[in-house]
Amino acid sequence: MNTKPKTIAIDGIDKKILRVLTEDARTPILEIARNVGISGAAIHQRLKKLEKSKLLSGSKFVINPKVLGYSTMAFVGVYLDKAANTDDVVKALRRFPEVLECHFTTGNYNLFIKLLSIDNEHLMHLLNKNIQSIEGVLRTESLISLDQQIDRQILV
Amino acid sequence: MNTKPKTIAIDGIDKKILRVLTEDARTPILEIARNVGISGAAIHQRLKKLEKSKLLSGSKFVINPKVLGYSTMAFVGVYLDKAANTDDVVKALRRFPEVLECHFTTGNYNLFIKLLSIDNEHLMHLLNKNIQSIEGVLRTESLISLDQQIDRQILV
DNA sequence: ATTGAAAGTGATATACT
DNA sequence: AGTATATCACTTTCAAT
């Protein structure tokens, strides 16, 4: 099975389109067209090409967790016991909406997760009650983010 | 200074709007209107309310790093020497587009970053040449993500 | 690849309930 | 908060280059 993605030729106009749309996904195509100086139909076709190549994999409105009261972000290394079924652990983690990312990683941890909590008390509850009680989880190690200085996508 | 965000009342219709738009930021308002059974103007007004409350903080097209050849994601803990100017280190890190996130963290590390690389060789170069040579950086500890199983936003 | 035009659809403001 | 309506803007397709 060939899982290697198609390489795709991206020129300066594609880059402009991508940079505008990664900043604001609802920017009208015609506005981009006026800015780069080619027709709306051309931008439209380029967008289709970029979507077909999978370089653009969709668009999302961004929710600000702070407004929902989530003020604490943490990274948690998870140790599993040897007999643990990793897929089941991930499935269990997925049930907690606070878990935003979950990675299989090299190194000491089996899993590495990024999560949000309301406050430190909520974080403690998530770790000690929710996550620790998942079958197969031995222990966790946490790193609390006091402030996030960089948050972005890869540049094109 | 009051930095606490305004609390905002969110009902079922708002949730539907948010869930649709966090999946696809370009979903037409009128399509959402047809689905929830109220007028487009009403959805439009609710959207304005959600944006004004900062619960919605924008929208982004999502770039698939794999298509650009970035196959490795890593988390890196950074130790700084006591005299280091943290802001300058962050500024230096920002110059490397591969650095997607940078956090001040509790615990042993001073900074914790998430980054993308083309392959392991590129990662080594980023760590040993680029990041290690930033003034104030003592050493780094890395965790490589072999596979990301969960990647999502907080649910409303 | 890009264009211009045409047809369909969506966004937005306003006045009213 | 919601609707109805009107106007303007945007999207999408297509034949032509």
Side-chain angles (χ1 to χ4, degrees):
Chain A
M1 191 177 103
N2 178 14
T3 56
K4 197 200 275 185
K6 278 232 182 54
T7 45
I8 176 180
I10 306 270
D11 65 11
I13 295 178
D14 291 321
K15 285 188 186 174
K16 276 196 181 173
I17 298 171
L18 290 166
R19 287 190 183 164
V20 172
L21 289 176
T22 50
E23 286 302 309
D24 179 358
R26 285 186 89 101
T27 311
I29 290 176
L30 283 174
E31 191 180 313
I32 304 172
R34 287 189 291 269
N35 280 326
V36 307
I38 64 175
S39 72
I43 302 284
H44 185 260
Q45 281 181 213
R46 280 167 176 270
L47 245 185
K48 291 292 168 215
K49 177 195 73 180
L50 293 168
E51 280 168 349
K52 204 179 160 201
S53 77
K54 302 281 169 61
L55 175 55
L56 281 177
S57 61
S59 63
K60 299 190 191 310
F61 255 88
V62 181
I63 286 175
N64 180 357
K66 292 210 169 98
V67 178
L68 293 171
Y70 292 93
S71 64
T72 304
M73 176 176 286
F75 294 91
V76 181
V78 181
Y79 292 89
L80 303 181
D81 66 37
K82 279 200 292 190
N85 182 327
T86 321
D87 285 348
D88 287 345
V89 175
V90 173
K91 210 178 288 177
L93 286 168
R94 200 183 289 277
R95 286 196 202 101
F96 303 112
E98 294 91 347
V99 175
L100 303 186
E101 298 186 22
C102 176
H103 304 258
F104 287 115
T105 51
T106 61
N108 293 323
Y109 309 132
N110 298 100
L111 295 174
F112 192 69
I113 69 189
K114 175 167 129 180
L115 54 79
L116 280 175
S117 69
I118 301 292
D119 49 26
N120 286 338
E121 195 189 350
H122 180 210
L123 176 60
M124 245 168 56
H125 187 267
L126 278 169
L127 293 172
N128 297 335
K129 288 283 172 354
N130 294 338
I131 293 176
Q132 299 271 17
S133 70
I134 294 172
E135 169 107 20
V137 170
L138 281 182
R139 63 190 189 88
T140 61
E141 270 178 30
S142 301
L143 210 70
I144 296 175
S145 168
L146 301 170
D147 191 30
Q148 182 166 1
Q149 301 270 330
I150 301 179
D151 186 10
R152 61 186 180 189
Q153 295 189 66
I154 196 77
L155 269 185
V156 279
Chain B
M1 191 179 103
N2 179 14
T3 57
K4 196 200 273 186
K6 277 232 183 55
T7 46
I8 174 180
I10 306 271
D11 66 11
I13 294 178
D14 290 322
K15 285 189 186 175
K16 275 196 182 175
I17 297 171
L18 290 166
R19 288 190 183 162
V20 171
L21 289 176
T22 49
E23 285 301 310
D24 178 359
R26 285 186 89 100
T27 311
I29 290 175
L30 286 173
E31 190 180 314
I32 304 172
R34 286 188 292 267
N35 281 326
V36 308
I38 63 176
S39 73
I43 302 283
H44 185 258
Q45 282 172 212
R46 279 168 177 269
L47 247 183
K48 290 293 168 214
K49 177 195 72 182
L50 292 168
E51 281 169 351
K52 202 178 161 203
S53 78
K54 302 281 169 63
L55 176 55
L56 281 178
S57 61
S59 63
K60 299 190 190 309
F61 255 88
V62 182
I63 286 176
N64 179 355
K66 293 208 168 100
V67 177
L68 293 172
Y70 293 91
S71 64
T72 304
M73 178 176 282
F75 294 91
V76 181
V78 181
Y79 293 88
L80 302 182
D81 66 37
K82 279 199 294 190
N85 181 327
T86 321
D87 285 347
D88 287 343
V89 175
V90 173
K91 210 178 287 177
L93 286 168
R94 201 184 287 277
R95 286 196 201 102
F96 303 113
E98 295 90 348
V99 175
L100 304 186
E101 299 185 20
C102 176
H103 304 258
F104 287 114
T105 51
T106 60
N108 292 322
Y109 310 133
N110 298 100
L111 296 174
F112 192 69
I113 68 188
K114 175 166 128 180
L115 55 80
L116 280 174
S117 70
I118 302 290
D119 50 26
N120 286 337
E121 195 189 350
H122 180 209
L123 175 60
M124 245 168 55
H125 187 267
L126 278 170
L127 292 172
N128 296 335
K129 289 283 171 357
N130 294 339
I131 294 175
Q132 299 271 16
S133 70
I134 295 171
E135 168 108 20
V137 171
L138 281 181
R139 62 189 188 87
T140 61
E141 271 179 28
S142 300
L143 211 71
I144 296 175
S145 167
L146 302 170
D147 191 30
Q148 181 166 2
Q149 301 269 329
I150 300 179
D151 187 10
R152 63 187 178 189
Q153 293 190 67
I154 197 79
L155 269 184
V156 278

